[in-house]
Amino acid sequence: MLKPEQMSRLLIVASKDQMAPVISELYRHHLFHIEDFVEAGAQGYEGFKIGTPLSGASEASGDLVKIRTIQNAFSIRSDDFEVKERQNQSALQGLIERELPAIEQEVEDFTGKRSKLDTKVKEYEQKIAEISPFVGIPGDLDLYRGYSNFVVFAGYVAKEVSVPGPHEMFFSKGKGKHFIVVIVPVGQRSVVEGVLQEAGYQAVPIPDESGDPQGRMNFYNEQIVLLKKETVEINRKLDGIKEKHAGFLVACEEILKVQVEKTEAPLRFATTNETFVAEGWVPSVSVETIRPALENATGGKIFFTVLPKDPEHDSVPVEYHNPSFAKPTQMLMDVYSRPKYTELDPTLTLSIVFPLFFGLILGDVGYGLILLAMCLVLRKYLKGEEGTQLLVVLRNASISSIIFGLLFGEFLGFALPWRPVIFSRHLNIGAHATGHGPQIPELMILAIWIGLLHITLGRVFGMINHARQDHGDHRTKAVMANFGWLLVMWGILVMIWSIVQMPYMPDFTKFPPVIMNLNIAAIIGAVMLVTGVLFIARDSGLELVELPTIISHVLSYSRIVAVGLSSVAIAMVVNYISIGMLIEPQLENITITGVLFIILGVAVFVIGQALNLALGILGSGLHSVRLHYVEFFTKFYKGGGKKYNPFGFNRRFTEDL
Amino acid sequence: MAAEVVAAVINDVELMKASQIGMKAIGAGLAVGLTGIASGIAEMAIGSAAVGATAENKDVFGLVLLLTVIPETIVIFGLVVALLLLF
């Protein structure tokens, strides 16, 4: 809790003939995060070389490429694939050798044919486009070619033209541009060219066809229909192959992926002529599972030791270690940055506080229920790990907003039939709105309190982090500086309390003045402030320019109220327009136009509420996350830890018997 | 005579009250409207950079979405001021 999983650094040394069993044992356990061996400058590894892949590596990767090509052709993605039953690896391995080339050949044939047909269709479409202008002109297409004494002009002009001298001209009017064909004796060529140029002439190539243009076009259209039929047939056959082999293909992909990863693992080890050395990390709790497994697999011919670790200089991979209800929130942490190994992992606080903020902002039973239903439905369709995690986070948030909705007494912007249990957020919108109106000052104070506590927690975490990570003089200074920030914040507060009286805040105005009209509380506050500033300055003077952020960060929490109220306001306005203005007046005296107004009112209600719900989810989610990332994390959190990525893979479609 | 003067004064006071409420409403509207424009201008640059970054690397989507809403603070402060003015 609040700490990443403890890791141990392992060193495994064995002779090269034990490499294969060691690799497959490590792979099976899926726990060993390999530290890649880099030849250049590796300390203590002088004379070692990067290993060479095990036998069968290039065949396996060749087959993998083939399978992935076929999968692409079929657009099969193993993530979308339901696991029916796990297939036996050794049985499949035989099948890969026998069936894969045949399937590949078949698929290649069909896709090759399909692309040929596609080119043919394109070619014919091009021909149709060339012929189509000539359809309006009487005469066969071969009449346009083959003259030695005449010139044929065919093309588009912007306006009508009159050609001087002997000629034959056909003109078909179009929209904006007209098609023209002019046949003149060769001698007149330049004159006619000049006339046409003036009319904005654009030449059109004369199609290399013979016969009636309409007839040719019909012919090509028929051909295209036939070709398309053939394509459909091929697609149907390909679908048949897909249907038949999809399960086999994803299983093969998995097996080959495993094989490739295993056979290429030596590329990450250090080797000499006869031995290899693998270094890496495993969770400390699992060291004792790996040790006997490796010893069994190699018959004890292995050297296995836990190396001392130096958390600050080693790049220790980080794996979260959280109670199960907080696990989905790790996704929100990964969006920002994974914690470093030595750092506090704030996932747990995030998993509790995020839904609270979300609920406080959205706080509506209706919206909460809709969001909850959406999460439950979407769960069936979203398969990826991140997607499901996000849905669980949203589900928790929606439950929280239902609870806060009950407390605020809100349902889609309507008031529930009881007085708000905490503060009222109902606005007086509409003609017959009465009542108290929202308790804005009280809500604001609530938000400020939340901000103060959240930031204080952040600073306390900051003190812990610095105490853990820093050394010597700097450690004390950094811890004190964080304490200084707390002193300044609370000092300012105490001073404000001694001057102004506020609801739900301590009242120090009653104390008698001591000096300069300031009472004892104000003096204590001032002392806290000055001490705090000194503490901060002792660590780094430059930090002092950040002092105003104390106020802006606390005030930033007022968004919890403001964003929430704006969503209440939109909901109430939608309700007032749709029900108060459109539906209700018509219900008293129903007419045909009245029914139309009622339908309009229902439409406004549905669209408005849907829009507000979308805005509400986006706003509540983003602002809750933002309060964490910007206001909370900046106080203590750096992040940048390396992801724990153990060697191995959770098989879904196959099993190794 | 006296009654007329009293009536006129009451009338004036009511007028002043009404105009004060109007002024508050205008102030609240300005607070939200102007800060809204300011947030829009600020988010414009971030948004376009964010879209560019996402096009290059999809993984940063979550982060840039957040960066984009950071200037929203301005309009939220405007909204807070407006709410405090009105209620």
Side-chain angles (χ1 to χ4, degrees):
Chain A
M1 247 187 283
L2 293 178
K3 232 181 180 185
E5 184 81 52
Q6 289 299 301
M7 291 281 169
S8 293
R9 187 174 187 167
L10 290 191
L11 180 77
I12 298 168
V13 185
S15 70
K16 265 188 178 167
D17 52 338
Q18 302 297 339
M19 190 128 83
V22 168
I23 289 175
S24 66
E25 204 56 24
L26 289 177
Y27 199 88
R28 196 167 65 83
H29 282 281
H30 194 202
L31 285 168
F32 189 65
H33 177 104
I34 302 177
E35 192 92 324
D36 287 5
F37 170 68
V38 188
E39 251 177 40
Q43 273 186 354
Y45 280 99
E46 288 80 12
F48 281 83
K49 285 206 156 42
I50 284 179
T52 44
L54 299 177
S55 64
S58 57
E59 290 84 0
S61 33
D63 284 345
L64 187 59
V65 170
K66 276 184 205 159
I67 286 201
R68 293 208 167 135
T69 321
I70 301 174
Q71 284 187 335
N72 272 340
F74 289 144
S75 52
I76 301 174
R77 285 182 44 216
S78 48
D79 290 345
D80 309 335
F81 211 79
E82 285 289 332
V83 187
K84 283 180 198 122
E85 55 175 327
R86 290 176 157 219
Q87 304 184 40
N88 186 336
Q89 164 153 3
S90 43
L92 268 176
Q93 220 127 28
L95 278 180
I96 293 180
E97 274 159 37
R98 269 183 287 127
E99 289 203 4
L100 187 59
I103 297 176
E104 194 198 0
Q105 191 59 44
E106 212 176 349
V107 172
E108 226 169 64
D109 284 352
F110 281 127
T111 44
K113 253 190 211 164
R114 189 170 61 182
S115 62
K116 257 188 209 158
L117 291 176
D118 284 347
T119 3
K120 254 297 164 30
V121 168
K122 289 236 170 68
E123 197 180 301
Y124 287 168
E125 277 168 352
Q126 175 67 28
K127 286 203 167 163
I128 290 175
E130 276 176 23
I131 298 172
S132 62
F134 293 89
V135 171
I137 313 278
D140 283 354
L141 284 166
D142 27 14
L143 293 176
Y144 295 97
R145 267 179 280 112
Y147 302 110
S148 45
N149 295 328
F150 296 100
V151 190
V152 180
F153 292 97
Y156 289 103
V157 285
K159 56 181 185 193
E160 286 191 43
V161 285
S162 61
V163 181
H167 70 276
E168 192 163 357
M169 182 168 86
F170 301 97
F171 194 81
S172 79
K173 273 200 165 188
K175 248 189 209 164
K177 54 182 187 176
H178 318 292
F179 187 65
I180 192 173
V181 176
V182 187
I183 302 164
V184 293
V186 173
Q188 258 185 293
R189 183 190 196 125
S190 50
V191 183
V192 177
E193 257 174 4
V195 171
L196 287 174
Q197 219 69 48
E198 268 175 42
Y201 173 70
Q202 282 174 298
V204 163
I206 289 164
D208 190 15
E209 299 279 340
S210 51
D212 171 39
Q214 188 62 51
R216 293 306 294 166
M217 253 174 79
N218 291 346
F219 169 74
Y220 284 126
N221 273 328
E222 277 163 25
Q223 288 297 315
I224 287 177
V225 171
L226 287 179
L227 290 175
K228 288 217 164 132
K229 243 186 215 163
E230 264 181 75
T231 320
V232 169
E233 179 64 17
I234 288 179
N235 279 340
R236 208 179 51 78
K237 277 185 186 154
L238 278 172
D239 280 345
I241 299 177
K242 177 179 173 179
E243 196 75 9
K244 197 168 140 201
H245 296 300
F248 170 67
L249 286 172
V250 287
C252 284
E253 193 212 349
E254 192 171 280
I255 286 184
L256 288 169
K257 199 173 136 195
V258 170
Q259 248 175 20
V260 168
E261 276 182 15
K262 275 188 189 172
T263 49
E264 287 183 349
L267 291 170
R268 309 168 73 183
F269 297 160
T271 58
T272 62
N273 284 340
E274 296 301 330
T275 58
F276 75 95
V277 179
E279 231 186 89
W281 300 90
V282 290
S284 300
V285 286
S286 311
V287 172
E288 286 315 313
T289 10
I290 291 227
R291 187 199 298 267
L294 286 177
E295 276 166 2
N296 272 343
T298 55
K301 285 184 250 167
I302 188 166
F303 174 74
F304 179 101
T305 187
V306 178
L307 294 175
K309 70 179 166 189
D310 173 8
E312 276 170 45
H313 298 102
D314 294 341
S315 56
V316 187
V318 176
E319 172 68 350
Y320 293 105
H321 180 62
N322 287 311
S324 58
F325 76 92
K327 282 210 161 77
T329 323
Q330 287 164 195
M331 178 216 74
L332 288 178
M333 290 298 304
D334 276 338
V335 169
Y336 188 83
S337 181
R338 198 170 270 244
K340 272 196 293 216
Y341 186 67
T342 47
E343 227 171 0
L344 270 177
D345 170 16
T347 315
L348 189 65
T349 51
L350 185 64
S351 70
I352 297 167
V353 181
F354 174 80
L356 286 181
F357 282 1
F358 192 99
L360 270 168
I361 296 177
L362 195 61
D364 186 297
V365 180
Y367 293 145
L369 284 174
I370 296 173
L371 182 59
L372 186 62
M374 266 161 59
C375 288
L376 295 181
V377 171
L378 277 178
R379 250 184 141 169
K380 293 214 171 83
Y381 299 99
L382 266 180
K383 291 271 152 54
E385 196 196 359
E386 282 197 356
T388 32
Q389 286 188 332
L390 179 68
L391 285 182
V392 175
V393 171
L394 278 180
R395 185 202 63 196
N396 296 348
S398 68
I399 292 170
S400 155
S401 62
I402 292 173
I403 294 170
F404 277 103
L406 292 172
L407 295 179
F408 284 131
E410 276 165 30
F411 187 93
L412 299 180
F414 299 106
L416 286 173
W418 58 79
R419 281 167 55 86
V421 182
I422 38 178
F423 304 113
S424 160
R425 300 204 299 179
H426 302 305
L427 296 151
N428 291 336
I429 289 177
H432 29 251
T434 49
H436 185 276
Q439 290 166 283
I440 300 285
E442 289 87 345
L443 283 164
M444 287 290 171
I445 301 279
L446 173 78
I448 298 299
W449 267 120
I450 292 172
L452 288 170
L453 296 178
H454 205 217
I455 288 176
T456 306
L457 182 68
R459 284 287 171 204
V460 171
F461 279 3
M463 281 152 74
I464 298 174
N465 265 346
H466 279 293
R468 264 197 208 165
Q469 291 175 315
D470 296 339
H471 298 285
D473 194 26
H474 179 61
R475 179 167 178 243
T476 342
K477 277 185 184 168
V479 173
M480 294 304 270
N482 268 290
F483 185 61
W485 284 102
L486 276 182
L487 279 181
V488 175
M489 186 174 84
W490 288 99
I492 294 174
L493 261 175
V494 170
M495 285 175 78
I496 293 175
W497 290 337
S498 73
I499 297 165
V500 210
Q501 209 179 340
M502 277 181 287
Y504 302 104
M505 290 235 171
D507 176 18
F508 295 159
T509 51
K510 301 285 190 300
F511 295 118
V514 185
I515 32 169
M516 285 161 61
N517 235 358
L518 294 173
N519 65 23
I520 184 78
I523 291 166
I524 291 174
V527 170
M528 281 165 80
L529 196 153
V530 173
T531 329
V533 169
L534 285 178
F535 280 162
I536 299 167
R538 218 162 66 100
D539 185 38
S540 149
L542 214 60
E543 288 269 295
L544 290 178
V545 296
E546 296 271 323
L547 277 177
T549 59
I550 290 182
I551 295 170
S552 70
H553 279 185
V554 173
L555 285 182
S556 186
Y557 283 81
S558 63
R559 73 185 61 232
I560 293 179
V561 175
V563 175
L565 264 173
S566 66
S567 121
V568 176
I570 296 174
M572 293 182 80
V573 168
V574 167
N575 292 345
Y576 177 58
I577 293 177
S578 60
I579 296 172
M581 283 164 71
L582 291 169
I583 297 178
E584 258 180 13
Q586 305 300 331
L587 287 180
E588 289 163 12
N589 183 10
I590 292 179
T591 57
I592 293 176
T593 42
V595 172
L596 287 178
F597 270 104
I598 290 172
I599 294 170
L600 183 69
V602 172
V604 168
F605 182 78
V606 171
I607 295 170
Q609 292 286 6
L611 211 70
N612 193 28
L613 176 67
L615 267 178
I617 295 170
L618 203 68
S620 316
L622 281 178
H623 284 290
S624 312
V625 173
R626 181 221 130 99
L627 282 176
H628 280 92
Y629 287 1
V630 180
E631 272 80 17
F632 186 52
F633 283 2
T634 48
K635 308 287 182 289
F636 67 98
Y637 190 69
K638 299 265 175 348
K642 192 164 74 174
K643 192 179 175 193
Y644 168 66
N645 188 12
F647 178 59
F649 170 68
N650 284 334
R651 292 171 183 236
R652 292 176 56 213
F653 305 110
T654 58
E655 54 196 352
D656 191 3
L657 291 178
Chain B
M1 183 68 188
E4 274 172 31
V5 171
V6 169
V9 167
I10 288 174
N11 201 18
D12 276 4
V13 168
E14 266 173 15
L15 228 111
M16 256 164 68
K17 271 188 188 164
S19 84
Q20 268 181 359
I21 293 172
M23 287 294 183
K24 270 188 181 175
I26 290 175
L30 283 176
V32 175
L34 292 177
T35 50
I37 293 171
S39 314
I41 293 171
E43 275 178 28
M44 177 175 67
I46 304 173
S48 61
V51 172
T54 320
E56 280 194 12
N57 178 5
K58 272 188 187 164
D59 296 343
V60 298
F61 176 75
L63 199 64
V64 295
L65 188 66
L66 261 156
L67 290 176
T68 314
V69 298
I70 280 180
E72 209 126 295
T73 314
I74 309 170
V75 71
I76 284 167
F77 285 166
L79 190 60
V80 169
V81 168
L83 288 171
L84 290 175
L85 269 177
L86 288 178
F87 299 101

